[in-house]
Amino acid sequence: RKPTAVITGASSGVGLYTAKALAKKGWHVVMACRDVRKAGEAAQAVGMPQGSYSIMQIDLGDLESVRRFAREFRASGKFLNALLCNAAIYMPLIKEPLRSPEGYELTMATNHLGHFLLCNLMLEDLKNSPMADKRLVILGTVTHNPDEPGGKVYPRPDLGKFEGFEAGFKEPISMVDGKKFEPVKAYKDSKVCNVLTMRELHRRFHDSTGITFTSLYPGCVADTPLFRNHYPLFQKLFPLFQKYITKGYVSQELSGERVASVIADPEFKQSGAYWSWGNRNSQERKAFVQRVSSQARDDEKAVRMWELTAKLVGIA
Ligand code: NDP
């Protein structure tokens, strides 16, 4: 029996190339995507062999859809070896917040709330799988961390005291700290929540389940469609800037291979770890465990994030 991974947002970018790399390692990939047709075309375009993948519909921004996905996966009878939380949106230019069906700001809803619920639901599937090596991996990013050169750009993430979550996170609230809407900060805040979620999953469940919980920064994959909502000039210059000035650029192919290693390879079986290949990239770079930002390593924040998010997604 092939090991099975669920990958959210496998229809483009890092998720797609991770699916491709895992399939090459002999895994079966369940591509959990909002657009099933696009996912099928993407899998074919990168040459994933028939039988190495299946596609299931999910909209991470819609909590009902997340619940339905989890039910349908369980009904499929597949054993789960790994869950990769990868899908994300980044909407740097919008002036007003978009809202999820539940009324939550859509960047935080998609990147954090949907994945938080999915992790909690699929924890049962990981627990119930008979294999010894089971992993749950959540994509981080350097921009979650102002201690790193790539994270120093403003606006910086700031979860405050979760005033926005405490107030219910619906209209007129749009930010986790309850402050004015800022779409770039919303993305960075959601990625801090992703890292906190991984660390809190590790603290709560690693010893009792043996599941490996990790997060990572695969490098700056500057030409994925993540930047599709930015100015066209930015989309043109950003990859060049990362290739020739910061030297942080990583191809989609290499980013996928890195993430697939974190999911599958024995040397990445260290729960609670945040993996990085550093900021200056080359094919030969070796991964190392990196310290996460001060907010993301704050244990009290992790507990508070968990309690409040659990309420927002209806599992408290
Ligand atoms: P892409 O935009 O290429 O891929 C994002 C994926 O998420 C797409 O498959 C997209 O689907 C999917 N998605 C978006 N919204 C939803 C939703 N509501 N429900 C289901 N799926 C959804 O971005 P990247 O590959 O660059 O980013 C992937 C991850 O990597 C993110 O977590 C990002 O934070 C992280 N990352 C990216 C870096 C980079 O430099 N690009 C650097 C560090 C981390 P669709 O195809 O339908 O749009």
Side-chain angles (χ1 to χ4, degrees), residues 6 14 17 30-31 33 68 91 94 98 108 136 147 154 165 176 180 182 210 217 228 233 260 264 269 300:
V6 167
V14 178
Y17 283 88
V30 176
M31 301 170 73
C33 297
R68 182 187 42 75
M91 314 284 279
I94 58 174
L98 302 170
M108 184 60 86
L136 194 161
D147 298 339
Y154 283 89
F165 276 11
V176 58
K180 193 169 163 287
E182 209 318 330
Y217 171 55
R228 77 194 88 170
L233 189 62
K269 198 170 178 289
E300 268 175 44

Side-chain angles (χ1 to χ4, degrees), residues 16-17 24 28 34 37 39 54 66 87 106 176 201 209-210 223 238 277 281 291 294:
L16 174 62
Y17 283 88
K24 211 161 154 197
H28 182 82
R34 60 178 166 180
R37 207 173 117 195
S54 44
V66 173
L106 195 59
V176 58
L201 281 164
T209 65
D223 48 16
F238 188 52
W277 283 256
N281 276 288
R291 195 159 90 141
S294 55

